[in-house]
Amino acid sequence: MARQSLVNSSNRLLISEILQKVHNAKTKKEKISLLQKHNSVALRQLLIWNYDKSVQSMIPEGTVPYTPNEAPAGTDHARLEHEYRGLYRFCKGGADTLPSLKRETMFIQLLEGLHESEAELLCLVKDHKLTDKYRITHAVVKEAFPSIEWGGRS
């Protein structure tokens, strides 16, 4: 399958597009500036989930069996900037009474509704492996968002 390029028809960037811009930035200062420019609750929540080791994913580590949404960026799919409000269900302390099968089914449904680049991003975040794809360090995130309190979340 050929990799689809990110060409977003919406005027708002997908979070995966923002992280790609940060990844492509040459200096730490540029990376921090881009994160601050595109600051949103959804972006910060995903970065916290990835970099804060006290956040424990309730989704099993590894590959998730889902069918990627092939709709072009900015068209017929959900966006992480809107769906982030429900991500608590997938972390320890969020919706612990939710049966595992139901939680995993909801996660797969979410992934299948997102653009494939955002679904891939969410799969990386759930395993704390964002740096496998994006050159964005915890130090850069901490400097970009000094108000984030790290640790003590689960």
Side-chain angles (χ1 to χ4, degrees):
M1 183 167 120
R3 287 199 53 90
Q4 182 179 5
S5 68
L6 282 178
V7 179
N8 189 346
S9 63
S10 171
N11 61 348
R12 299 258 319 145
L13 294 176
L14 298 173
I15 291 179
S16 56
E17 292 173 313
I18 294 167
L19 294 180
Q20 189 61 50
K21 282 179 172 266
V22 175
H23 168 80
N24 292 340
K26 300 290 185 219
T27 67
K28 182 178 180 181
K29 185 177 179 179
E30 286 177 282
K31 290 175 188 276
I32 291 167
S33 176
L34 282 166
L35 284 171
Q36 290 172 338
K37 176 183 176 186
H38 297 287
N39 182 17
S40 69
V41 176
L43 175 62
R44 289 191 316 271
Q45 185 173 357
L46 288 165
L47 292 171
I48 289 168
W49 187 358
N50 185 76
Y51 291 107
D52 192 331
K53 297 305 178 192
S54 71
V55 177
Q56 297 175 13
S57 179
M58 298 289 283
I59 303 296
E61 190 169 340
T63 305
V64 180
Y66 74 99
T67 305
N69 184 335
E70 296 182 2
T75 60
D76 185 31
H77 52 76
R79 300 171 65 100
L80 276 174
E81 73 177 351
H82 301 296
E83 300 295 329
Y84 78 91
R85 289 178 185 94
L87 295 180
Y88 71 92
R89 294 180 188 101
F90 310 119
C91 297
K92 186 174 183 183
D96 291 345
T97 60
L98 193 63
S100 294
L101 182 60
K102 177 71 172 170
R103 177 182 292 111
E104 292 169 26
T105 301
M106 290 170 65
F107 191 74
I108 289 169
Q109 289 171 337
L110 173 60
L111 294 176
E112 290 179 345
L114 294 169
H115 182 270
E116 64 182 316
S117 67
E118 288 204 317
E120 178 186 14
L121 163 65
L122 192 53
C123 287
L124 291 169
V125 166
K126 80 163 177 73
D127 292 337
H128 299 279
K129 294 184 176 181
L130 191 64
T131 55
D132 287 2
K133 178 168 180 159
Y134 301 101
R135 283 187 324 262
I136 303 169
T137 65
H138 188 196
V140 165
V141 174
K142 285 169 82 171
E143 198 168 328
F145 305 116
S147 63
I148 293 176
E149 293 183 25
W150 301 96
R153 295 192 195 284
S154 288

